[in-house]
């Protein structure tokens, strides 16, 4: 991986300290020209009472990676990025291992952005399909 990609991932992981992302053990692991990938371990910490990955934890992973992708691909010095809508379709249960969320841009407007986030397991089975709309608000 290039030094540039490593620096982006390092910054993404550094800004997560003391946040929900750290609580959920979310780690950013790959970045490309139009995508960002994060992983989250599936442990009892993110289970619903019956021992499977909680949909809310999955949605938090999806919103985290989509928002971080907006931060990377927009001018973060000029804009605040906020999620304004998220949808999640959960299609498979997970009880162990890691899940990976890959955010890919669908629409990159000046004000709003639309992200598709596919959450998969290590075998690339689809766990959840999410869409996130973000808004870029001027800092001034």
């Amino acid at each position: 991986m290039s030094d540039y990609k490593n620096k982006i991932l390092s910054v993404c992981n550094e800004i997560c300290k003391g946040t929900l992302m750290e609580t959920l053990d979310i780690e950013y692991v790959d970045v490309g020209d139009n995508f960002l990938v994060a992983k989250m371990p599936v442990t009892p910490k993110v289970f619903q009472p019956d021992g499977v990955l909680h949909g809310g934890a999955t949605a938090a992973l999806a919103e985290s990676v989509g928002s971080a992708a907006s931060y990377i691909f927009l001018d973060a010095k000029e804009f605040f990025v906020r999620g304004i809508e998220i949808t999640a379709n959960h299609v498979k249960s997970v009880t162990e291992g890691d899940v990976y969320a890959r955010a890919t841009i669908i629409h990159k407007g000046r004000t709003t952005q639309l992200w598709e986030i596919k959450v998969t397991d290590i075998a690339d089975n689809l766990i959840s399909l999410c869409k996130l709309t973000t808004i870029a608000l001027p800092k001034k």
Side-chain angles (χ1 to χ4, degrees):
M1 193 176 304
S2 74
D3 287 340
Y4 179 71
K5 288 183 177 184
N6 283 331
K7 182 172 182 167
I8 290 171
L9 294 173
S10 178
V11 168
C12 286
N13 287 314
E14 184 65 29
I15 63 175
C16 291
K17 292 187 177 171
T19 69
L20 176 67
M21 287 73 75
E22 183 178 55
T23 300
L24 297 178
D25 296 319
I26 293 171
E27 178 186 3
Y28 296 95
V29 296
D30 195 13
V31 63
D33 291 337
N34 68 344
F35 71 90
L36 179 64
V37 179
K39 75 174 183 173
M40 181 178 70
V42 178
T43 65
K45 182 170 25 177
V46 296
F47 282 174
Q48 27 177 300
D50 67 349
V52 299
L53 176 61
H54 193 292
T58 306
L61 170 64
E63 183 159 355
S64 297
V65 73
S67 294
S70 285
Y71 176 82
I72 291 168
F73 297 113
L74 298 173
D75 185 354
K77 293 177 185 167
E78 297 292 323
F79 297 97
F80 293 108
V81 174
R82 299 291 184 262
I84 56 174
E85 181 178 28
I86 188 164
T87 63
N89 294 97
H90 308 298
V91 297
K92 185 174 173 145
S93 296
V94 179
T95 59
E96 63 185 6
D98 293 328
V99 289
Y100 296 83
R102 180 184 177 109
T104 306
I105 191 79
I106 296 172
H107 168 74
K108 184 179 176 184
R110 288 177 298 182
T111 306
T112 61
Q113 303 76 44
L114 180 60
W115 296 90
E116 176 185 76
I117 301 107
K118 289 185 177 177
V119 179
T120 59
D121 63 15
I122 191 73
D124 207 31
N125 295 306
L126 184 64
I127 305 305
S128 297
L129 180 61
C130 306
K131 284 195 300 185
L132 172 67
T133 304
T134 57
I135 188 167
L137 302 169
K139 286 187 175 180
K140 295 180 182 179

